[in-house]
Every structure is written in C-alpha cells, then in structure tokens.
C-alpha cells in the first residue's frame, strides 16, 4: 500500500482530507458547465503561474485521459481563443486578485463567438482559485521538491500492509462519499497499479493515433512534411516521481518528445504562461489612488459569495463551505497553547493575516494581535507560501517551528490553502456580482 505525497500530508487531518476529496472530485469529475478536458487544461494554466510542476504533470496526464487534444500541450498559442482569453484573469487572481474588476468579467462574457456563460465562468474561477491555493500547499509541505528517487514527492509505503488512502487516513473506515468515489473509479480513487497501467497505455495509443491521423490529413491539405509527432508514454519504467493524482498508486509521467527525440517536457512551463514577470506586490493603501481595501462587512463568503456560486454552479457552494468550516474546526489546542492563546484566536490570527496580504480587512478585528500571536519566522513562512510559493525551498517546512508537531505544521498549510482560496473567490465573485448588477 502506498500513498501519494499530498494525500500523506493532508492525511494528518483525516476529516479535512475527506472534505477536500469530495470537493475536488465534484469540481473535476462530476457534471458541470465545463468539459472535462477544459477543466484539466485550466488547472494546468493555474499551476503554471506558480511553476508547480507537480500539479502541471498531474493535470497533463488527466487532460489526456479525458480525451484532450495533445496539440494544446504545446502552449497557449495552440488552444482555442475562448480558453486563451482566460489567461488575464488567471494571472491577476494568482498574484494580485484585488485588481479584478467587472470590466474583466464583461470582456469574457461579451466576446461574440468566444464568449463565456456565467455558469462556465464561475466554474473556471473556482478551478483557478483551487489550483492556485493547492500549489501553495504543495510547495509549503515540500511535495514539489526533489521529484526523483528519494524525493519528498515520492510515495512511501504504509504500515501496516496494503491499504487504500481512505483506510489509512480514517482509521480503516471510509465515508459513503469516498466509497462512491471508489466505485466510480475516479482519478481520486484507489486503483490497482496494473489496471491503471493498462489504461494509461490505451490512452497513449489513442492519443498517438489521433495525432498521426491529424498530421496525415494536414500533409494532404498543405503538401507539407511534418517532422515531429507527439508521444505520451505513461508508466513506471523510470522509477517513482511526483506529478500524481491524489489517491492514485504511483506512476511517473513521461515527457513529451518530438520525432528527433528532443524532450519537450510538460515541466517546461513557460508555454502555459503570458507575462511571466507579473507577480505578487504588497497590497498598500497610501492615498485615494490606491486600490480600495476589500471590507468583508460589505461582501462576505457567507452572505454573498456562497449563494452566487451555488446558484450558478449547483452544489459546489455547499462543498466549498464545508471545506472552509472543516479547516476552521480542526483541533489545534497544543499549537495555540504554545503560543499562549486560545485555538480560535490563533487560527483567526493566521487567517486574517493571510487575507490582509490580499487587501481584505475585518472591521471587528484588532490587527495588532497578529504581531503578538505570530512570531517573525512564522510570518515570513506564511507570506512566502501564500504569495510566492515557488520561492519556498525544501528546508523551510522543516525549519519553521521546530518545536511543533508535523501535523501542526500541516495544519498551518491547510489554513493557508483555504484562506487564500477564499480570498481569490471573494474578489472574483464580487466582480461578477457587480457585472450582474
């Protein structure tokens, strides 16, 4: 029995893991406004903004399994204009979500034949925010580091014996939802390695066949010879590596190669980005020309965002809300006790500090508490993982809070994941609301 790295980390808090997997399964694999291949490509675009090879490789694999066109993996210049138009919102949400305006929303909804529907756009926004925040967790817990043999992204054997991920993380008892996911054999399920290899091989053959047919047709039409072809080989021949589906047995995603054998690996992320130098800048309010502070009293998840999301993308609001509440309810008494405060006070300090970095303020909170509750090394860690996770090095997770338990460190990263995701959603949903008004 083996567990993939993200599942291992989240498994420190099994109730949260259950909630996370239900939401992710619904978002990626259940009925919704967006086609399945587009969902995974949007996830690739989102993960590339933070140079997260782990998630890019995961969704490249799933994109091909969903029947996606291998040509799209050459980069943004090879995808339909409708998807490419999402790049601007992806860039802003990933780094400076306070810059999102109703004009951005209007542009996407009113571009003649390439226009998005409101339901599609909400689905896409939730996908982007989910993958941006998950990239923070991946880097924050070291899952991205050292994808080769012995790296932290490699699967580790469980003890005892053969268990599926839900058995290992919930005391050998699965929720009904996870059992249903297993029965559906979704990408978040526990499948036998041999069965998965066979399916990967079939996908490879089908993808290669489609591409060769397309090239032959193009040769006939244009009279040109094409010297390359796409090959996607899936298997475990090269040993263990990261880039896996949560809950899947371990496989390595082979690079894409041209006919001359030149590697054009999915890890070359520049093709999935435009304006790569655009990044996080400190939110500041110095004068009236600066971006206005986002006040939760005027637009909150509970009173506004939840109902809008649920209306346009059925049931996702309930799953997101459950996940937000679950992370807030995780036990952290030891962690808070060492900081000399109540658990709820400590968690709120972390949550509000993260939101503050994105310009979101709570009128009923005394921000002087942040400096009292959070020591400097913890604040540096939180800001790095939240705002530019790609700069997180392999030692940071081990170094910060050496006196704290591993599960407590993971808890901090779960707070970062959820607070960041909610911040991005608040800005995007407020802009959509303003457009609708």
């Amino acid at each position: 029995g083996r567990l993939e790295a993200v599942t291992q980390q989240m498994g420190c808090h099994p109730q949260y893991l259950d909630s996370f997997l239900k939401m992710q399964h619904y978002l990626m694999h259940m009925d919704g406004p967006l086609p399945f291949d587009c969902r995974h490509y949007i996830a690739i675009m989102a993960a590339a903004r933070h140079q997260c090879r782990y998630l890019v490789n995961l969704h490249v694999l799933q994109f091909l399994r969903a029947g996606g066109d291998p040509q799209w993996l050459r980069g943004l210049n090879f995808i339909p204009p409708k998807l490419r138009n999402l790049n601007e919102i992806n860039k802003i949400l990933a780094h400076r979500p306070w810059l999102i305006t109703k004009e951005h929303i209007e542009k996407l909804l009113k571009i003649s034949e390439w226009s998005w529907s409101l339901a599609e756009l909400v689905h896409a926004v939730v996908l982007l925010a989910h993958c941006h925040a998950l990239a923070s967790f991946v880097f924050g817990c070291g899952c991205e580091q050292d994808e080769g043999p012995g790296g932290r992204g490699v699967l580790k054997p469980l003890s005892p014996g053969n268990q599926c991920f839900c058995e290992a993380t919930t005391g050998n008892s699965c929720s009904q939802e996870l059992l249903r996911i297993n029965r559906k054999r979704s990408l978040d399920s526990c499948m036998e390695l041999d069965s998965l290899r066979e399916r990967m091989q079939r996908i490879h053959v089908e993808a290669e066949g489609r591409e060769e047919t397309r090239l032959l047709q193009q040769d006939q039409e244009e009279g040109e010879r094409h010297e390359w072809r796409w090959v996607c080989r899936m298997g475990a021949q090269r040993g263990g590596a990261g880039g896996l589906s949560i809950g899947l047995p371990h496989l390595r995603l082979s690079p894409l190669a041209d006919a001359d054998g030149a590697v054009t690996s999915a890890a070359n992320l520049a093709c999935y980005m435009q304006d790569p130098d655009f990044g996080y800048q400190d939110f500041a309010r110095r004068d009236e020309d600066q971006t206005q502070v986002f006040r939760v009293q005027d637009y909150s998840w509970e009173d506004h965002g939840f109902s809008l999301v649920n209306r346009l993308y059925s049931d996702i609001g309930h799953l997101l809300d459950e996940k937000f509440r679950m992370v807030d309810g995780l036990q952290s008494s030891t962690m808070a006790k060492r900081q000399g405060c109540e658990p709820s006070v400590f968690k709120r300090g972390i949550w509000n500090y993260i939101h503050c970095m994105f310009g979101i303020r709570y009128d009923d909170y005394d921000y002087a508490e942040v400096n009292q509750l959070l020591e400097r090394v913890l604040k540096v860690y939180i800001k790095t993982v939240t705002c530019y996770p790609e700069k997180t090095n392999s030692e940071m997770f081990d170094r910060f809070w050496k006196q704290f338990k591993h599960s407590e460190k993971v808890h901090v990263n779960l707070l970062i994941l959820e607070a960041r995701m909610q911040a991005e959603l608040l800005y995007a949903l407020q802009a959509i609301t303003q457009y609708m008004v």
Side-chain angles (χ1 to χ4, degrees):
R2 300 164 79 84
L3 284 183
E4 168 275 331
V6 169
T7 306
Q8 288 187 64
Q9 301 292 351
M10 289 187 180
C12 294
H13 303 280
Q15 289 182 312
Y16 174 85
L17 176 61
D18 190 327
S19 179
F20 174 88
L21 291 174
K22 285 192 292 185
M23 194 287 297
Q24 179 172 261
H25 177 72
Y26 187 87
L27 183 66
M28 302 305 304
H29 307 300
M30 298 297 285
D31 290 341
L34 292 175
F36 295 111
D37 59 340
C38 289
R39 300 183 198 189
H40 294 297
Y41 200 88
I42 291 170
I44 292 170
M45 293 171 63
R49 285 308 314 182
H50 286 306
Q51 303 169 39
C52 186
R53 292 179 177 86
Y54 184 101
L55 291 179
V56 169
N57 285 341
L58 158 67
H59 288 287
V60 164
L61 175 62
Q62 296 186 6
F63 169 78
L64 291 170
R65 291 191 65 200
D69 184 351
Q71 280 290 316
W72 292 14
L73 300 179
R74 299 181 69 186
L76 299 183
N77 292 331
F78 297 86
I79 64 176
K82 179 175 178 176
L83 265 182
R84 190 161 58 246
N85 291 336
L86 197 65
N87 179 68
E88 185 69 11
I89 277 187
N90 176 34
K91 177 183 75 173
I92 295 174
L93 273 182
H95 306 294
R96 305 174 208 170
W98 56 88
L99 298 181
I100 290 284
T101 65
K102 66 178 181 180
E103 284 72 29
H104 290 108
I105 305 302
E106 182 176 19
K107 185 177 179 181
L108 288 170
L109 296 176
K110 292 188 175 181
I111 308 180
S112 62
E113 71 225 77
W114 305 116
S115 64
W116 290 71
S117 70
L118 271 172
E120 289 174 332
L121 186 55
V122 167
H123 193 169
V125 162
V126 175
L127 269 169
L128 291 172
H130 171 70
C131 292
H132 295 155
L134 188 54
S136 283
F137 183 86
V138 166
F139 279 106
C141 288
C143 302
E144 172 78 4
Q145 305 297 331
D146 301 325
E147 288 188 325
R152 296 183 68 172
V154 178
L155 305 186
K156 299 175 183 178
L158 293 175
S159 178
N162 295 322
Q163 296 175 310
C164 74
F165 73 99
C166 47
E167 290 175 326
T169 56
T170 58
N172 296 324
S173 62
C174 303
S175 69
Q176 290 301 312
E177 177 65 18
L178 287 177
L179 286 172
R180 185 177 65 80
I181 294 173
N182 286 340
R183 287 194 297 270
K184 281 182 168 292
R185 300 175 65 83
S186 74
L187 293 176
D188 288 327
S189 303
C190 304
M191 291 180 274
E192 292 296 330
L193 185 57
D194 291 341
S195 173
L196 185 60
R197 280 174 175 162
E198 291 173 5
R199 296 215 289 164
M200 292 300 98
Q201 184 61 30
R202 287 201 302 271
I203 294 295
H204 154 60
V205 172
E206 292 170 2
E208 187 179 51
R210 285 197 304 270
E211 182 60 12
E212 289 177 348
T213 299
R214 193 196 66 78
L215 288 177
L216 286 172
Q217 291 173 346
Q218 197 168 36
D219 282 344
Q220 293 172 357
E221 293 171 0
E222 301 176 7
E224 299 175 350
R225 287 185 60 87
H226 291 270
E227 298 298 330
W228 56 268
R229 67 187 177 95
W230 290 91
V231 179
C232 179
R233 302 198 183 279
M234 294 139 192
Q237 296 91 340
R238 299 179 61 183
L244 311 174
S245 174
I246 292 174
L248 283 178
H250 177 63
L251 288 177
R252 182 183 180 90
L253 175 65
S254 298
L256 303 173
D258 59 23
D260 298 324
V263 173
T264 56
S265 170
N268 180 17
L269 307 184
C271 65
Y272 301 121
M273 289 188 289
Q274 294 175 357
D275 195 7
D277 294 329
F278 186 91
Y280 176 81
Q281 289 184 352
D282 285 339
F283 183 95
R285 181 181 52 148
R286 297 190 181 92
D287 52 51
E288 293 182 358
D289 294 331
Q290 293 288 330
T291 304
Q292 292 296 311
V293 168
F294 187 111
R295 299 197 176 280
V296 175
Q297 283 69 22
D298 298 329
Y299 195 95
S300 68
W301 166 255
E302 293 80 7
D303 296 332
H304 306 90
F306 170 82
S307 58
L308 177 62
V309 165
N310 235 35
R311 179 154 53 94
L312 294 172
Y313 181 16
S314 177
D315 292 333
I316 194 66
H318 292 292
L319 293 169
L320 288 169
D321 194 60
E322 176 187 320
K323 197 157 61 81
F324 293 146
R325 294 178 185 276
M326 187 64 66
V327 79
D328 184 57
L330 292 179
Q331 296 300 314
S332 58
S333 55
T334 305
M335 186 166 63
K337 185 177 180 181
R338 289 176 180 173
Q339 297 300 106
C341 65
E342 292 296 318
S344 59
V345 173
F346 184 66
K347 285 187 291 187
R348 189 181 185 194
I350 293 176
W351 187 279
N352 288 2
Y353 176 57
I354 295 167
H355 276 196
C356 183
M357 289 186 287
F358 289 114
I360 298 174
R361 295 295 185 105
Y362 296 78
D363 288 346
D364 61 350
Y365 186 73
D366 179 6
Y367 284 87
E369 286 188 10
V370 170
N371 290 329
Q372 297 170 8
L373 294 172
L374 309 182
E375 57 193 51
R376 184 177 180 278
V377 66
L378 176 57
K379 289 175 68 177
V380 169
Y381 175 83
I382 291 174
K383 183 170 184 178
T384 303
V385 175
T386 302
C387 302
Y388 20 78
E390 62 277 7
K391 295 183 180 180
T392 308
N393 61 53
S394 58
E395 299 177 357
M396 288 185 72
F397 181 85
D398 297 322
R399 238 182 20 223
F400 94 95
W401 276 6
K402 287 188 176 181
Q403 74 276 25
F404 283 69
K405 297 178 182 178
H406 180 88
S407 63
E408 293 170 336
K409 294 184 178 185
V410 173
H411 189 175
V412 171
N413 278 280
L414 292 178
L415 286 168
I416 292 172
L417 186 162
E418 296 300 340
R420 176 179 178 177
M421 183 174 185
Q422 189 179 103
E424 291 189 25
L425 285 177
L426 284 175
Y427 277 109
L429 295 176
Q430 183 192 52
I432 292 174
T433 300
Q434 290 172 344
Y435 166 80
M436 294 173 66
V437 172

